[in-house]
Each structure stands twice: as C-alpha cells, then as structure tokens.
Amino acid sequence: MKIIVIGASGTIGKAVVEQLGARHDIVTAGRRSGQFNVTIEDPADVAALFDRTGPVDGVVVAAGDLHFGPLADMTPEQFRFGLDSKLMGQVHVALAAQRRLNDGGSITLTSGIVGHQPIRHGANASTVNRALEGFVLGAAIELPRALRINLVDPTVLTESLPQYGDYFHGFEPADARRVALAYSRSVEGAQTGQVYCVW
C-alpha cells in the first residue's frame, strides 16, 4: 500500500514510518519536513497535498498542536489554538482524504489520553481529544467506497517525559514503538470507527 504519514518527523510519526515502512510505500509529510510540506490548518494546502501525492491507500495524521495552561488564565484565542490545529487540522485531512483515497483505504487520526483522564492545564487538550473521538465515530458510518476511519488514543510517550512528564505524574508511559502498533492495526486491519487506546 501507499500511505501518507503526516507528522512523520515527530516521535510518533517516526515510529509509525518505521513500523509501516517495513511493508508499505510511505510518503512523509510535515509542516517543515518530509517529502511534502503541508499545513493541516489550511484546507487548501491539505487538498494540494493529495494532488501532489496522487492516489493513496491510507493516510495517518500524527500532527496538530494544543494549548496547555491554567484555565483561569486561558483566553479564547489560546483555546481556539487547539481547535484550529489538532482538531480542525485532522478534520481537514479526513474530509479531503474521503475523496482522494483508493477504494477500501483508511484514515487514522490521533487523540490522547487526556480526553478520558484529564490533567491540570489540559482543558484544551481534553476538549480536542474528545471531539476527535466524536468525529471518527460519526464519520465512520458515512464514509463511502469501503473507506475506514479510526483513532489512536495514546498515553504520554516515554520519549516525551522530559518535556511533558510534569503534567503526567502517576501515568504509565508507553514507548512510541508500542504506540505505532495501534497505527498498524488501524491501517492494515479491517475495523472502522474504532478508538485504539494505548494506555
């Protein structure tokens, strides 16, 4: 299969490329890296990505930014940051992909554990991650041509503990290579509308 991995230079993205690249043709994309550059917040740029890659069998999104900060100090602009980037960015990819994927192709999006297990300063992340879950569940029953869509919901990564560990005391981390298995299951499996939790 030919699979686009958006966010391929990130910690999860690299692990997904390694996992799927052993068996498939991987096209890497990112904001400033990869074979193709794409800004997922811009729907026209997302559409142009599919124009450049040609027909593909799957797309994985391991990209999108969030705002972390105290709720008491949060501004609407800060809250919208996660909505525009991680939520709508991934929705833009899914909406474009439904028209560009080969029959039977797959879409795999990424949320995160704080959608179910909230943390301090994570209200934006909790909102975005839960919304992505709702989008995947709703989209799965409408996609045409045997297309599939799933969501990977990882805990904090072992590799990310130096940066984010102070937010996740008491959480059991997971190695990126273990998380990448869930993306393999989504891309290479047969299920749709699934949330693959790696906690």
Side-chain angles (χ1 to χ4, degrees):
M1 291 189 290
K2 182 178 177 182
I3 302 159
I4 304 172
V5 178
I6 300 174
S9 67
T11 306
I12 289 177
K14 288 178 182 175
V16 170
V17 169
E18 181 181 354
Q19 171 63 224
L20 293 176
R23 298 175 295 281
H24 305 289
D25 178 16
I26 304 299
V27 177
T28 59
R31 190 183 305 275
R32 290 176 294 274
S33 62
Q35 295 164 264
F36 297 96
N37 292 148
V38 62
T39 301
I40 61 174
E41 294 85 353
D42 180 352
D45 204 33
V46 171
L49 171 66
F50 285 98
D51 289 338
R52 293 186 300 239
T53 62
V56 295
D57 302 293
V59 59
V60 170
V61 187
D65 295 319
L66 296 163
H67 174 75
F68 285 90
L71 185 67
D73 301 329
M74 195 175 299
T75 66
E77 292 76 19
Q78 289 171 328
F79 194 84
R80 180 167 288 282
F81 180 68
L83 300 180
D84 290 340
S85 183
K86 188 172 182 180
L87 175 57
M88 288 308 302
Q90 295 194 78
V91 169
H92 293 154
V93 174
L95 293 178
Q98 69 178 330
R99 301 178 183 89
R100 309 298 184 91
L101 288 173
N102 292 326
D103 291 357
S106 69
I107 302 163
T108 306
L109 307 183
T110 302
S111 62
I113 193 171
V114 297
H116 290 269
Q117 299 183 27
I119 58 172
R120 287 189 181 94
H121 300 175
N124 183 243
S126 294
T127 301
V128 167
N129 290 333
R130 270 296 180 104
L132 284 163
E133 186 173 321
F135 173 73
V136 166
L137 295 177
I141 64 171
E142 292 193 58
L143 285 174
R145 302 184 293 109
L147 298 178
R148 300 181 300 107
I149 185 169
N150 296 302
L151 184 73
V152 176
D153 182 356
T155 186
V156 62
L157 301 178
T158 305
E159 295 87 344
S160 298
L161 287 177
Q163 184 177 4
Y164 295 109
D166 285 345
Y167 289 109
F168 290 95
H169 293 300
F171 286 73
E172 184 174 356
D175 294 346
R177 292 185 68 175
R178 178 178 164 229
V179 171
L181 294 174
Y183 291 86
S184 173
R185 186 176 174 190
S186 175
V187 172
E188 299 176 294
Q191 293 180 300
T192 190
Q194 299 298 304
V195 177
Y196 297 119
C197 297
V198 188
W199 299 351

